[in-house]
Amino acid sequence: MRKNIKLTALAATATALTLGLTACGSSSDPSSAKADGGKADESKPLVIAASPSPHADVLNFVKDKLAAKEGLKLEVKEFTDYVLPNTATEQGQVDGNYFQHKPYLDDFNKKNNTHVVPVVNVHLEPLGLYSKKVKALSDIKAGQTIAVPNDTTNEGRALQLLAANNLITLKEGVGTSAKLSDITDKKGLEFKELEAATVPRALGDVDAAVINGNYAIEANLAPAKDALALEKAEGNPYANFLAVKDGNQNDPRIQKLAKLLNSDDVKKFIEEKYQGSVVPAFGPPAS
Protein backbone atom coordinates (compact mmCIF):
# COMPACT_ATOMS: atom_id res chain seq x y z
CA MET A 1 0.00 0.00 0.00
CA ARG A 2 2.66 2.52 1.00
CA LYS A 3 4.70 1.66 -2.11
CA ASN A 4 2.21 3.65 -4.13
CA ILE A 5 3.40 7.12 -5.07
CA LYS A 6 1.65 9.86 -3.11
CA LEU A 7 0.69 13.06 -4.90
CA THR A 8 -0.03 16.24 -2.98
CA ALA A 9 -1.83 19.39 -4.00
CA LEU A 10 0.35 21.69 -1.93
CA ALA A 11 1.61 24.48 -4.18
CA ALA A 12 0.77 22.36 -7.20
CA THR A 13 0.41 23.96 -10.61
CA ALA A 14 -1.40 22.51 -13.57
CA THR A 15 1.93 21.83 -15.25
CA ALA A 16 3.30 20.07 -12.22
CA LEU A 17 0.18 17.94 -12.01
CA THR A 18 0.48 16.83 -15.61
CA LEU A 19 4.18 16.09 -15.35
CA GLY A 20 3.78 14.35 -12.01
CA LEU A 21 1.07 12.04 -13.26
CA THR A 22 2.97 11.26 -16.43
CA ALA A 23 6.07 10.43 -14.43
CA CYS A 24 4.03 8.10 -12.24
CA GLY A 25 2.86 6.22 -15.31
CA SER A 26 -0.79 7.16 -14.94
CA SER A 27 -3.27 6.41 -17.67
CA SER A 28 -3.43 9.45 -19.93
CA ASP A 29 -4.10 7.44 -23.08
CA PRO A 30 -7.70 8.15 -24.11
CA SER A 31 -7.93 4.64 -25.57
CA SER A 32 -7.79 3.20 -22.04
CA ALA A 33 -11.28 4.49 -21.21
CA LYS A 34 -13.06 6.28 -24.01
CA ALA A 35 -15.86 8.66 -23.17
CA ASP A 36 -17.17 8.63 -26.74
CA GLY A 37 -18.60 5.14 -26.58
CA GLY A 38 -15.50 3.44 -28.01
CA LYS A 39 -14.33 0.14 -26.58
CA ALA A 40 -11.70 0.45 -23.84
CA ASP A 41 -8.51 -1.58 -24.11
CA GLU A 42 -9.00 -4.22 -21.40
CA SER A 43 -5.32 -5.18 -21.56
CA LYS A 44 -4.34 -1.82 -20.05
CA PRO A 45 -4.16 -1.42 -16.27
CA LEU A 46 -7.09 0.37 -14.67
CA VAL A 47 -5.67 3.36 -12.78
CA ILE A 48 -7.74 4.57 -9.82
CA ALA A 49 -7.01 7.64 -7.69
CA ALA A 50 -7.73 7.23 -3.99
CA SER A 51 -7.21 8.73 -0.56
CA PRO A 52 -4.61 6.66 1.32
CA SER A 53 -6.93 5.20 3.95
CA PRO A 54 -9.34 3.50 3.88
CA HIS A 55 -9.83 3.89 0.12
CA ALA A 56 -6.38 2.82 -1.06
CA ASP A 57 -6.38 0.07 1.57
CA VAL A 58 -9.58 -1.37 0.11
CA LEU A 59 -8.34 -1.03 -3.46
CA ASN A 60 -5.03 -2.67 -2.62
CA PHE A 61 -6.88 -5.57 -1.01
CA VAL A 62 -8.81 -5.98 -4.27
CA LYS A 63 -5.60 -5.64 -6.29
CA ASP A 64 -3.68 -8.19 -4.22
CA LYS A 65 -6.41 -10.73 -3.46
CA LEU A 66 -9.22 -10.50 -6.01
CA ALA A 67 -8.33 -8.70 -9.24
CA ALA A 68 -6.29 -11.45 -10.91
CA LYS A 69 -9.19 -13.90 -10.73
CA GLU A 70 -11.28 -11.44 -12.76
CA GLY A 71 -8.48 -10.71 -15.24
CA LEU A 72 -8.24 -7.14 -13.96
CA LYS A 73 -4.96 -5.23 -13.85
CA LEU A 74 -5.38 -2.58 -11.18
CA GLU A 75 -3.09 0.33 -10.26
CA VAL A 76 -3.74 2.56 -7.26
CA LYS A 77 -2.53 6.17 -7.12
CA GLU A 78 -2.71 7.79 -3.69
CA PHE A 79 -3.69 11.46 -3.40
CA THR A 80 -3.69 13.41 -0.16
CA ASP A 81 -6.27 16.05 -1.07
CA TYR A 82 -9.88 16.29 -2.26
CA VAL A 83 -9.32 18.13 -5.55
CA LEU A 84 -6.75 16.36 -7.72
CA PRO A 85 -8.55 12.98 -7.86
CA ASN A 86 -11.51 14.59 -9.62
CA THR A 87 -9.50 16.85 -11.92
CA ALA A 88 -7.26 13.95 -12.91
CA THR A 89 -10.34 11.83 -13.62
CA GLU A 90 -11.92 14.60 -15.69
CA GLN A 91 -8.72 15.05 -17.71
CA GLY A 92 -8.24 11.32 -18.31
CA GLN A 93 -4.99 11.13 -16.36
CA VAL A 94 -6.54 8.39 -14.25
CA ASP A 95 -9.46 6.11 -15.11
CA GLY A 96 -11.51 6.83 -12.03
CA ASN A 97 -11.39 7.62 -8.34
CA TYR A 98 -12.57 6.40 -4.98
CA PHE A 99 -12.53 8.95 -2.15
CA GLN A 100 -15.75 10.98 -1.96
CA HIS A 101 -19.48 11.08 -1.30
CA LYS A 102 -22.33 12.38 -3.45
CA PRO A 103 -22.91 15.82 -1.85
CA TYR A 104 -19.22 16.63 -2.25
CA LEU A 105 -19.11 15.44 -5.87
CA ASP A 106 -22.25 17.36 -6.80
CA ASP A 107 -20.78 20.54 -5.36
CA PHE A 108 -17.40 19.91 -7.05
CA ASN A 109 -18.94 19.31 -10.49
CA LYS A 110 -21.04 22.45 -10.19
CA LYS A 111 -18.13 24.68 -9.19
CA ASN A 112 -15.57 23.22 -11.61
CA ASN A 113 -17.72 22.32 -14.63
CA THR A 114 -16.51 18.72 -14.39
CA HIS A 115 -18.44 15.61 -15.39
CA VAL A 116 -17.51 12.98 -12.82
CA VAL A 117 -20.25 10.50 -11.89
CA PRO A 118 -20.62 7.76 -9.25
CA VAL A 119 -20.64 4.10 -10.25
CA VAL A 120 -21.16 2.07 -7.08
CA ASN A 121 -21.24 2.77 -3.33
CA VAL A 122 -18.62 1.01 -1.23
CA HIS A 123 -18.38 2.28 2.34
CA LEU A 124 -19.29 4.94 4.88
CA GLU A 125 -16.84 6.80 7.14
CA PRO A 126 -18.73 8.37 10.02
CA LEU A 127 -17.58 11.95 10.65
CA GLY A 128 -16.39 12.46 14.23
CA LEU A 129 -15.59 15.10 16.84
CA TYR A 130 -12.18 14.58 18.50
CA SER A 131 -10.12 16.29 21.17
CA LYS A 132 -6.75 16.02 22.90
CA LYS A 133 -7.85 18.42 25.62
CA VAL A 134 -11.27 17.22 26.80
CA LYS A 135 -12.55 13.75 27.56
CA ALA A 136 -16.29 14.17 26.98
CA LEU A 137 -18.81 16.35 25.17
CA SER A 138 -19.86 17.84 28.50
CA ASP A 139 -16.33 19.21 28.95
CA ILE A 140 -16.67 21.50 25.90
CA LYS A 141 -17.40 24.98 27.23
CA ALA A 142 -17.92 28.55 26.05
CA GLY A 143 -14.71 30.22 24.91
CA GLN A 144 -13.23 27.04 23.44
CA THR A 145 -12.39 26.60 19.76
CA ILE A 146 -13.56 23.84 17.41
CA ALA A 147 -11.94 23.25 14.03
CA VAL A 148 -14.17 22.23 11.11
CA PRO A 149 -13.46 21.33 7.45
CA ASN A 150 -13.77 24.37 5.17
CA ASP A 151 -15.21 22.75 2.01
CA THR A 152 -18.91 23.33 1.47
CA THR A 153 -20.38 19.89 2.03
CA ASN A 154 -18.09 18.69 4.79
CA GLU A 155 -18.46 21.91 6.77
CA GLY A 156 -22.24 21.59 6.60
CA ARG A 157 -21.98 17.98 7.64
CA ALA A 158 -19.70 18.94 10.55
CA LEU A 159 -22.09 21.63 11.74
CA GLN A 160 -24.98 19.18 11.63
CA LEU A 161 -22.98 16.81 13.83
CA LEU A 162 -22.34 19.60 16.34
CA ALA A 163 -26.00 20.61 16.28
CA ALA A 164 -27.13 17.00 16.77
CA ASN A 165 -25.01 16.93 19.92
CA ASN A 166 -26.37 20.24 21.27
CA LEU A 167 -23.10 22.14 20.91
CA ILE A 168 -24.68 24.72 18.57
CA THR A 169 -28.08 25.64 17.15
CA LEU A 170 -28.63 26.01 13.40
CA LYS A 171 -31.28 27.75 11.34
CA GLU A 172 -34.13 25.43 10.47
CA GLY A 173 -33.90 23.75 7.07
CA VAL A 174 -30.26 24.53 6.26
CA GLY A 175 -29.39 20.84 5.98
CA THR A 176 -25.94 19.77 4.84
CA SER A 177 -25.32 23.12 3.16
CA ALA A 178 -25.05 24.81 6.56
CA LYS A 179 -22.38 27.49 6.98
CA LEU A 180 -20.99 29.22 10.03
CA SER A 181 -23.35 32.11 9.27
CA ASP A 182 -26.27 29.70 9.72
CA ILE A 183 -25.45 29.16 13.39
CA THR A 184 -28.11 30.91 15.46
CA ASP A 185 -26.52 30.05 18.82
CA LYS A 186 -22.78 29.34 19.06
CA LYS A 187 -23.13 28.79 22.82
CA GLY A 188 -19.94 30.79 23.24
CA LEU A 189 -17.82 28.58 21.02
CA GLU A 190 -15.30 29.79 18.45
CA PHE A 191 -14.69 28.06 15.11
CA LYS A 192 -11.63 27.61 12.94
CA GLU A 193 -12.12 26.63 9.29
CA LEU A 194 -9.35 24.46 7.80
CA GLU A 195 -8.79 22.31 4.74
CA ALA A 196 -10.11 18.86 5.65
CA ALA A 197 -6.73 17.14 5.23
CA THR A 198 -5.05 19.53 7.68
CA VAL A 199 -7.60 19.31 10.49
CA PRO A 200 -5.97 16.33 12.27
CA ARG A 201 -2.64 18.16 12.40
CA ALA A 202 -4.35 21.09 14.13
CA LEU A 203 -5.99 18.92 16.77
CA GLY A 204 -3.45 19.90 19.42
CA ASP A 205 -3.92 23.60 18.69
CA VAL A 206 -7.70 23.70 19.23
CA ASP A 207 -9.99 22.35 21.91
CA ALA A 208 -11.78 19.95 19.57
CA ALA A 209 -12.05 19.24 15.84
CA VAL A 210 -14.48 17.60 13.45
CA ILE A 211 -12.45 15.21 11.29
CA ASN A 212 -13.37 13.17 8.23
CA GLY A 213 -13.17 9.43 8.82
CA ASN A 214 -10.32 8.69 6.40
CA TYR A 215 -8.15 11.49 7.79
CA ALA A 216 -8.89 10.35 11.34
CA ILE A 217 -7.68 6.85 10.49
CA GLU A 218 -4.51 8.23 8.87
CA ALA A 219 -3.86 10.18 12.08
CA ASN A 220 -4.06 6.93 14.09
CA LEU A 221 -7.42 7.84 15.57
CA ALA A 222 -10.00 5.08 15.95
CA PRO A 223 -13.35 6.75 15.25
CA ALA A 224 -15.40 4.06 16.96
CA LYS A 225 -13.36 4.48 20.18
CA ASP A 226 -11.77 7.93 20.15
CA ALA A 227 -14.55 10.20 18.90
CA LEU A 228 -16.44 12.32 21.43
CA ALA A 229 -19.35 12.22 18.97
CA LEU A 230 -19.80 10.19 15.79
CA GLU A 231 -22.30 10.30 12.94
CA LYS A 232 -24.87 7.56 12.94
CA ALA A 233 -24.46 5.10 10.06
CA GLU A 234 -28.14 4.29 9.60
CA GLY A 235 -29.73 6.42 6.88
CA ASN A 236 -26.51 8.35 6.30
CA PRO A 237 -26.28 9.81 2.75
CA TYR A 238 -22.49 10.07 2.72
CA ALA A 239 -21.45 6.70 1.30
CA ASN A 240 -18.12 6.83 -0.52
CA PHE A 241 -18.11 5.42 -4.05
CA LEU A 242 -16.14 4.49 -7.14
CA ALA A 243 -16.46 7.32 -9.69
CA VAL A 244 -15.50 7.91 -13.34
CA LYS A 245 -15.84 10.59 -15.97
CA ASP A 246 -19.34 10.45 -17.44
CA GLY A 247 -19.31 8.10 -20.42
CA ASN A 248 -16.87 5.63 -18.94
CA GLN A 249 -19.30 3.81 -16.66
CA ASN A 250 -19.50 0.80 -18.98
CA ASP A 251 -15.76 0.29 -19.35
CA PRO A 252 -15.52 -3.49 -18.69
CA ARG A 253 -12.64 -2.90 -16.30
CA ILE A 254 -14.72 -0.45 -14.27
CA GLN A 255 -17.58 -2.94 -14.17
CA LYS A 256 -15.22 -5.66 -12.91
CA LEU A 257 -13.89 -3.37 -10.20
CA ALA A 258 -17.40 -2.31 -9.16
CA LYS A 259 -18.39 -5.95 -8.77
CA LEU A 260 -15.33 -6.72 -6.67
CA LEU A 261 -15.79 -3.64 -4.46
CA ASN A 262 -19.28 -4.89 -3.56
CA SER A 263 -18.20 -8.47 -2.94
CA ASP A 264 -18.47 -10.50 0.26
CA ASP A 265 -14.67 -10.55 0.44
CA VAL A 266 -14.48 -6.76 0.58
CA LYS A 267 -17.32 -6.62 3.13
CA LYS A 268 -15.40 -8.99 5.40
CA PHE A 269 -12.16 -7.03 4.90
CA ILE A 270 -13.78 -3.72 5.86
CA GLU A 271 -15.55 -5.14 8.91
CA GLU A 272 -12.48 -6.95 10.24
CA LYS A 273 -9.95 -4.20 9.56
CA TYR A 274 -11.89 -1.15 10.72
CA GLN A 275 -14.07 -2.54 13.51
CA GLY A 276 -16.93 -0.09 12.93
CA SER A 277 -14.82 2.95 12.12
CA VAL A 278 -15.57 2.27 8.45
CA VAL A 279 -18.68 0.31 7.49
CA PRO A 280 -19.75 -1.35 4.21
CA ALA A 281 -22.41 0.59 2.30
CA PHE A 282 -22.82 -1.39 -0.90
CA GLY A 283 -25.23 -0.69 -3.73
CA PRO A 284 -26.11 1.91 -6.35
CA PRO A 285 -25.42 5.57 -5.47
CA ALA A 286 -28.27 7.95 -4.75
CA SER A 287 -29.52 9.72 -7.85
Side-chain angles (χ1 to χ4, degrees):
M1 147 189 52
R2 297 302 175 189
K3 292 181 181 179
N4 294 321
I5 298 173
K6 291 189 176 182
L7 303 176
T8 178
L10 297 177
T13 64
T15 301
L17 170 61
T18 302
L19 291 174
L21 287 167
T22 302
C24 294
S26 61
S27 175
S28 59
D29 183 350
S31 67
S32 66
K34 294 183 179 179
D36 61 1
K39 183 176 176 59
D41 185 349
E42 293 185 60
S43 68
K44 289 183 176 292
L46 184 70
V47 183
I48 302 297
S51 297
S53 182
H55 308 81
D57 293 345
V58 174
L59 287 171
N60 279 306
F61 171 77
V62 171
K63 175 183 176 182
D64 296 339
K65 303 295 184 182
L66 307 176
K69 296 178 183 178
E70 293 291 330
L72 176 65
K73 298 177 183 178
L74 181 61
E75 291 186 9
V76 183
K77 298 294 184 185
E78 293 188 15
F79 288 72
T80 57
D81 81 305
Y82 282 176
V83 176
L84 294 182
N86 276 333
T87 57
T89 299
E90 176 75 13
Q91 295 165 10
Q93 294 163 326
V94 297
D95 298 303
N97 65 60
Y98 170 35
F99 78 100
Q100 65 192 321
H101 51 63
K102 188 69 161 50
Y104 177 81
L105 176 60
D106 288 346
D107 182 70
F108 187 95
N109 279 334
K110 181 178 179 180
K111 289 181 176 177
N112 296 278
N113 194 31
T114 46
H115 310 85
V116 179
V117 296
V119 176
V120 66
N121 285 345
V122 182
H123 77 266
L124 173 70
E125 304 162 22
L127 202 71
L129 177 68
Y130 301 84
S131 177
K132 290 184 176 180
K133 298 181 179 179
V134 301
K135 300 297 184 182
L137 280 174
S138 58
D139 296 329
I140 296 178
K141 306 295 184 182
Q144 294 181 329
T145 300
I146 298 178
V148 295
N150 65 1
D151 61 274
T152 303
T153 53
N154 283 307
E155 180 170 82
R157 186 180 175 189
L159 295 179
Q160 288 293 345
L161 175 66
L162 297 177
N165 287 277
N166 299 313
L167 293 175
I168 60 173
T169 303
L170 291 171
K171 294 177 183 176
E172 290 188 14
V174 292
T176 57
S177 62
K179 304 180 292 294
L180 292 182
S181 58
D182 293 317
I183 301 176
T184 57
D185 185 356
K186 292 185 177 182
K187 301 187 178 181
L189 296 172
E190 301 293 330
F191 296 92
K192 188 173 185 178
E193 296 174 292
L194 299 170
E195 183 183 353
T198 70
V199 176
R201 297 197 291 273
L203 188 55
D205 300 323
V206 294
D207 297 289
V210 181
I211 303 176
N212 291 70
N214 61 314
Y215 291 136
I217 293 167
E218 290 171 28
N220 295 317
L221 295 167
K225 294 189 300 180
D226 297 333
L228 301 178
L230 199 63
E231 282 182 319
K232 297 185 183 302
E234 185 176 354
N236 196 304
Y238 293 101
N240 283 208
F241 45 66
L242 174 66
V244 298
K245 185 174 182 179
D246 195 16
N248 294 338
Q249 298 94 316
N250 294 323
D251 181 332
R253 300 168 304 160
I254 289 292
Q255 291 299 310
K256 287 179 181 179
L257 179 58
K259 177 183 175 182
L260 292 174
L261 286 171
N262 272 198
S263 66
D264 290 340
D265 289 319
V266 168
K267 181 176 185 292
K268 182 178 180 181
F269 172 79
I270 291 173
E271 291 175 341
E272 291 182 351
K273 182 173 179 64
Y274 298 109
Q275 299 292 311
S277 297
V278 177
V279 295
F282 295 169
S287 57

